[in-house]
Amino acid sequence: RRYEPFYTPQLVLKFSQVGGEWNYEEVIANGSIITVNLNGTAIVDKFDVSKCKRPDKGHIGFLGHGSQVEFRNIRIKELPAE
């Protein structure tokens, strides 16, 4: 069985900027809980990846769904301990 958040390319397009404007995306990984905000809207909301097959460490990857993408102002910061 696959465990996936409710995240589709159609959902991304619904909340994306149009006309070549920059999108703002924030990915928060707090332990095994993932939240993805696109232009201020949660498109993945507190998805628990603890049941997913995944490595304990690895790379961060960026992708576009079949179209050219550009990135700017990428920041990675550690969350404060709870």
Side-chain angles (χ1 to χ4, degrees), residues 31-82:
S32 65
I33 305 298
I34 306 294
T35 299
V36 178
N37 296 309
L38 179 60
N39 299 317
T41 300
I43 58 174
V44 175
D45 192 19
K46 298 178 182 169
F47 179 70
D48 187 353
V49 296
S50 64
K51 297 176 183 154
C52 300
K53 275 185 130 176
R54 61 182 172 76
D56 290 332
K57 59 184 177 178
H59 301 280
I60 297 171
F62 301 99
L63 62 95
H65 297 279
S67 59
Q68 179 181 342
V69 294
E70 297 178 23
F71 302 96
R72 68 177 187 175
N73 301 329
I74 297 171
R75 297 178 190 91
I76 299 173
K77 66 180 181 178
E78 188 171 346
L79 295 175
E82 292 187 68

